[in-house]
Amino acid sequence: AMYGSGRGYLRALLADAGAEVVEIRGEMNPGFNGIHPEPIAKHLKPLMDLVLEGGYDLGLAMDGDADRTGAIGPTGRFIDPHSIMTLALRYLVDERKLRGDVVKTVSTTQMLNRLAGIYGLPVHETPVGFNYIADLMLSNDVLIGGEESGGISIKGHIPEGDGVLMGLIVAEMVARYGKPPEELLADVMTEIGRF
């Protein structure tokens, strides 16, 4: 939880769904215990170690205000926001049977463009900043919108990045497919090419 506003939420929701959950960095600490509360690999070593040592299926992290997410697979590999958004697009189309536009910032991965092309979904590229994504989410039929730093949202939800929601979607994907995120990403890359 990176000591931020998302503390307790993923733990409670996943535990209520029957998952075994251990929350770290879940205490209130306005100074974030001296760490930079960003869910990127260099700030997630304690989570990586816990996932590896505990034999867990998945580690999830949010930033301080819980609008961005990152994930750790059971091998300790960091799953970046570009990959999370790509996996979520695949999941929403293949499993939830949803359709709509894909909105991404110009600095977000081309994996989305390739996957959207396979599905026949329009892609809109915006300048950096979730406000540009939000504008399109409010005016178009957008399935998923996101930026390179991990702010992602989906159809039917608020037009703002939501780390709790995306953490739950990653957990749902892992449970539904019965595969770790590293394997899910490898599966996508067999379809769209190596990134």
Side-chain angles (χ1 to χ4, degrees):
M2 306 294 272
Y3 306 105
S5 63
R7 66 188 185 287
Y9 288 104
L10 279 176
R11 177 182 41 79
L13 292 165
L14 292 171
D16 189 52
E20 178 186 341
V21 182
V22 175
E23 183 179 58
I24 61 172
R25 296 178 169 175
E27 306 83 37
M28 181 190 300
N29 188 319
F32 304 107
N33 202 31
I35 65 166
H36 188 74
E38 189 175 16
I40 60 175
K42 71 179 181 177
H43 302 304
L44 298 180
K45 177 120 175 55
L47 182 60
M48 290 174 182
D49 292 345
L50 178 64
V51 169
L52 283 169
E53 292 164 10
Y56 292 102
D57 296 312
L58 181 64
L60 298 168
M62 293 173 287
D63 67 333
D65 61 354
D67 67 345
R68 296 181 288 152
T69 193
I72 305 296
T75 63
R77 179 180 172 189
F78 175 64
I79 310 299
D80 63 74
H82 301 266
S83 300
I84 289 172
M85 192 171 167
T86 303
L87 291 173
L89 174 60
R90 178 179 177 233
Y91 183 74
L92 293 171
V93 173
D94 289 351
E95 297 299 323
R96 290 197 181 175
K97 307 301 182 200
L98 297 174
R99 307 277 303 165
D101 295 1
V102 176
V103 180
K104 64 184 219 53
T105 58
V106 294
S107 54
T108 303
T109 183
Q110 292 292 306
M111 287 190 291
L112 291 165
N113 299 62
R114 287 200 188 165
L115 190 58
I118 290 169
Y119 292 135
L121 301 176
V123 176
H124 305 272
E125 291 190 352
T126 71
V128 173
F130 207 93
N131 56 312
Y132 298 106
I133 296 165
D135 287 346
L136 284 171
M137 291 185 85
L138 290 169
S139 62
N140 292 39
D141 181 26
V142 173
L143 173 57
I144 191 167
E147 58 184 343
E148 70 290 339
S149 62
I152 306 167
S153 192
I154 64 169
K155 180 186 276 195
H157 194 58
I158 60 171
E160 183 58 60
D162 189 332
V164 175
L165 172 69
M166 293 314 299
L168 292 171
I169 288 175
V170 172
E172 183 179 324
M173 284 188 283
V174 168
R176 173 81 171 161
Y177 290 124
K179 294 181 178 181
E182 298 95 327
E183 284 186 37
L184 296 176
L185 194 54
D187 291 347
V188 170
M189 289 188 186
T190 62
E191 295 176 48
I192 63 172
R194 201 97 189 115
F195 279 78

